[in-house]
Amino acid sequence: MFMSLRPLTFRFVGFLAFALPLAVAGVVADAGAYDGLFRPAPTTDCSIVGGDGGALKIEDDVFFGVESQCRMTRATNVRDMDATLYDMDCTGEGEDWTQRALFMRAADDGLILVWNGFAFKYDRCPVNPVRGTVTTAEDLGIAD
């Protein structure tokens, strides 16, 4: 049994390297509720999706990560929260896997994404991202 879990763990951790379960009951979520481009860091190139250093994209219930994509299915609203639990049917680097993920709107219009044991906060990308934009120290919050 240990040998069968190892490939799954490797794929899952590899997928989470970029990025990023609750018992719930509720009504099915609105389609496209989380659509947009999101960046894991202020220096992320929002004009790149699906590659190293780029943004993640959610469109029409498909999550696009680094060299992978997941169909977001079985949407279930989390009671009394602005959050949705999805079954994620994923493909990437020649492999297929299924995971569950919780998506939540952040207070600043970003995205909070929770995979079993991992939680990530992403900022929304600007409306018209420009390739190669340089972020200043002040934008990063490290100015004098």
Side-chain angles (χ1 to χ4, degrees):
M1 177 143 169
F2 177 74
M3 296 300 284
S4 66
L5 290 177
R6 192 169 183 182
L8 176 61
T9 302
F10 177 74
R11 288 190 308 254
F12 181 62
V13 171
F15 180 71
L16 291 177
F18 171 72
L20 246 117
L22 299 172
V24 296
V27 182
V28 174
D30 294 330
Y34 299 97
D35 283 4
L37 286 173
F38 300 92
R39 58 185 179 184
T43 57
T44 298
D45 187 342
C46 288
S47 68
I48 298 173
V49 173
D52 290 331
L56 67 85
K57 179 180 179 180
I58 302 170
E59 183 175 59
D60 298 328
D61 293 326
V62 178
F63 174 93
F64 299 90
V66 175
E67 298 181 19
S68 62
Q69 67 180 35
C70 300
R71 167 89 26 216
M72 301 161 60
T73 64
R74 298 187 58 175
T76 305
N77 285 340
V78 179
R79 183 177 18 130
D80 297 328
M81 296 176 73
D82 190 12
T84 310
L85 181 66
Y86 289 95
D87 287 350
M88 306 290 282
D89 297 321
C90 304
T91 60
E93 298 182 1
E95 302 199 34
D96 299 329
W97 67 97
T98 301
Q99 295 288 329
R100 298 190 91 196
L102 179 89
F103 289 72
M104 178 185 293
R105 287 187 193 101
D108 64 359
D109 196 36
L111 176 70
I112 297 170
L113 179 55
V114 179
W115 299 83
N116 190 20
F118 300 90
F120 303 94
K121 164 61 170 70
Y122 299 96
D123 292 324
R124 187 173 291 276
C125 285
V127 175
N128 294 312
V130 178
R131 184 174 180 86
T133 300
V134 176
T135 302
T136 66
E138 184 176 299
D139 291 340
L140 296 173
I142 57 174
D144 293 13

